[in-house]
């Protein structure tokens, strides 16, 4: 769904001050130029292969399939990428673009720290100065990721304004970007934000879906009945979904975090429970109060904890091209345990939401049906948190 003005139906756009618009226009112009440039694409593919380790497998999850006793479940193994998740696909793409634009300095925001680590990684690789803005509260919560970023040579700046979390980190990064735009590039981590970011991030993540579509045709000789991914900002999901957008018989399902339940305030299900509004300079479904102020959100999975969602997902929902479901903390944790024990794969808590939904769905389908689930990342980062939860709740073991 390309749209040069950056709209997906009524969603997206760039609701930002003029100064920022000027800077975004420069990014947009260069993005559209290089995304068609053969040399740029060759370089991108080189790093996808040699640095990230693509293509990664589309793994037939045979033990899980047998255990569930419904449709076949395939896992797209983004967890096997260098740094252990899909975020590096986008970080590599944007840093290569920054290099072409002669920028020597990268700024980024991070909440849970995963995007900060991916950004610090590519900055180390390309010898870029790297500044990561992170809410003071998150700096404390995500000590290990802060340490990783520093090991990689990045400077982590704690932000203490507002609620001292992701939203405030975004504001600080944008301000830096505007002030220092002559030598600085803003490397955004999900398919959100003002145009051109949602389109750009989708393009750099679309490798997930292109590979998966080719791989399933190779092994099964037909397309899947369902493609499923978890949705935080929506980058791993749109990366998978975009390749199947025009395959009308492929059902697309995004899975949002229901936290403690959609009937509580403790969730982050923007598409399931939100209303259209403007957040961080773009229009999407968002969890907001009657004055349009973003509501606090919650999920067991730090990467899904965001009150907005990508504009393209908002449009998919609006036109009915995709459906958006939700999975609670408890169900995600159960899927996390089941995948660990049946397949020997410790998945990220974010990805476990998609797996949980796939398991539920697979039970209702026939043996000839096929589901592809995006395993967006590995769970190493989550094991301390899970150990603590399990020690309080022995029944899950
Ligand atoms: C950050 C993250 C997500 C959520 O981000 P999206 O932009 O929605 O993909 C999902 N899975 C993992 C492993 C992550 O690190």
């Amino acid at each position: 769904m390309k749209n040069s003005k950056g709209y997906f139906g009524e969603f997206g756009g760039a609701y930002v001050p003029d100064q920022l618009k000027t800077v975004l226009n420069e990014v947009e112009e260069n993005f559209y130029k290089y995304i068609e440039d053969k040399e740029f694409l060759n370089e991108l593919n080189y790093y996808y292969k040699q640095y990230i380790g693509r293509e990664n497998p589309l793994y037939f999850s045979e033990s899980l399939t047998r255990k569930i006793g419904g449709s076949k479940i395939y896992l797209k193994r983004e967890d096997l990428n260098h740094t252990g998740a899909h975020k590096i696909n986008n970080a590599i793409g944007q840093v290569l673009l920054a290099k072409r634009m002669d920028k020597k300095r990268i700024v980024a925001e991070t909440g849970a720290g995963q995007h900060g680590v991916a950004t610090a990684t590519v900055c180390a690789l390309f010898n870029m100065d790297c500044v990561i803005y992170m809410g003071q509260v998150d700096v404390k919560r995500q000590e290990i990721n802060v340490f990783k970023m520093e090991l990689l040579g990045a400077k982590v700046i704690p932000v203490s304004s507002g609620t001292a979390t992701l939203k405030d980190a975004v504001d600080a990064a944008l301000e830096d970007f505007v002030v220092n735009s002559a030598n600085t590039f803003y490397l955004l981590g999900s398919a959100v934000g003002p145009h051109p970011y949602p389109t750009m991030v989708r393009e750099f993540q679309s490798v997930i879906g292109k590979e998966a579509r080719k791989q399933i045709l190779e092994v099964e000789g037909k397309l899947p009945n369902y493609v499923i991914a978890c949705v935080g900002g929506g980058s791993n999901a749109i990366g998978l979904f975009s390749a199947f957008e025009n395959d009308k018989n492929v059902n697309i399902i995004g899975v949002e975090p229901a936290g403690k339940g959609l009937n509580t305030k403790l969730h982050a299900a923007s598409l399931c429970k939100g209303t259209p509004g403007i957040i961080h300079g773009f229009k999407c479904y968002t969890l907001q109060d009657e004055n349009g102020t973003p509501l606090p959100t919650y999920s067991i999975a730090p990467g899904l904890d965001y009150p907005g969602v990508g504009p393209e997902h908002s449009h998919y929902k609006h036109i009915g091209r995709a459906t958006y479901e939700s999975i609670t903390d408890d169900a995600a944790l159960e899927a996390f345990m089941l995948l660990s024990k049946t397949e020997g794969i410790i998945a990220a808590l974010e990805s476990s939401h998609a797996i949980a939904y796939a398991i539920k769905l697979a039970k209702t389908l026939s043996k000839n049906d096929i589901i592809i689930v995006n395993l967006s990342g590995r769970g190493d980062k989550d094991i301390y948190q899970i150990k603590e939860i399990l020690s309080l709740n022995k029944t899950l073991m």
Side-chain angles (χ1 to χ4, degrees), residues 1-3 8 31-32 34-36 40-41 44-45 48 54 86 89-94 97 190-192 195-210 234-240 242-243 245 312 316:
M1 271 173 214
K2 284 213 176 79
N3 180 328
F8 305 93
F31 166 67
Y32 283 123
Y34 286 112
I35 203 67
E36 307 272 329
F40 179 84
L41 293 174
L44 180 64
N45 286 324
Y48 277 168
R54 308 200 70 94
H86 68 289
N89 303 327
N90 169 54
I92 281 276
Q94 287 194 46
L97 181 63
S190 190
V192 296
H195 180 64
Y197 285 100
T199 299
M200 187 156 72
V201 174
R202 188 223 24 234
E203 282 307 300
F204 291 138
Q205 292 292 1
S206 66
V207 64
I208 302 172
K210 284 177 194 150
S235 70
N236 87 89
I238 206 71
L240 176 65
S242 54
E245 184 190 343
E312 199 163 7
Y316 272 13

Side-chain angles (χ1 to χ4, degrees), residues 377-394:
R378 66 179 182 225
D380 303 46
K381 67 183 180 60
D382 300 316
I383 56 175
Y384 308 99
Q385 185 188 349
I386 290 169
K387 183 162 182 269
E388 212 159 276
I389 295 168
L390 293 186
S391 70
L392 299 171
N393 183 0
K394 296 275 186 228

Side-chain angles (χ1 to χ4, degrees), residues 85-87 114 190 230-236 303-304 348 350 376-377:
H86 68 289
K87 287 201 171 72
Q114 295 304 107
S190 190
C230 66
V231 177
S235 70
N236 87 89
L304 301 182
E350 291 83 3
S376 55

Side-chain angles (χ1 to χ4, degrees), residues 54-172:
R54 308 200 70 94
E55 72 179 37
N56 57 41
L58 180 70
Y59 169 68
F60 174 42
S61 189
E62 196 173 354
S63 304
L64 183 65
T65 296
R66 206 179 312 122
K67 181 143 193 157
I68 302 304
S71 68
K72 286 186 174 177
I73 299 175
Y74 281 84
L75 304 175
K76 182 60 177 158
R77 297 293 307 273
E78 292 300 306
D79 61 312
L80 295 178
N81 295 341
H82 175 50
T83 67
H86 68 289
K87 287 201 171 72
I88 192 88
N89 303 327
N90 169 54
I92 281 276
Q94 287 194 46
V95 82
L96 288 174
L97 181 63
K99 215 171 61 134
R100 298 285 165 130
M101 292 169 69
D102 282 328
K103 308 291 182 185
K104 306 274 185 272
R105 184 172 173 272
I106 301 288
V107 293
E109 82 299 336
T110 197
Q114 295 304 107
H115 174 56
V117 171
T119 302
T121 299
V122 299
C123 287
L125 179 63
F126 292 103
N127 192 28
M128 296 268 195
D129 284 342
C130 181
V131 174
I132 307 288
Y133 289 94
M134 194 169 183
Q136 179 76 53
V137 173
D138 293 327
V139 169
K140 286 217 184 79
R141 277 198 290 223
Q142 308 290 341
E143 249 181 284
I144 292 292
N145 277 337
V146 172
F147 181 59
K148 274 193 194 169
M149 288 179 242
E150 287 170 351
L151 277 180
L152 293 161
K155 187 169 172 203
V156 179
I157 301 186
V159 179
S160 53
S161 56
T163 55
T165 56
L166 180 61
K167 184 196 174 304
D168 312 289
V170 172
D171 291 339

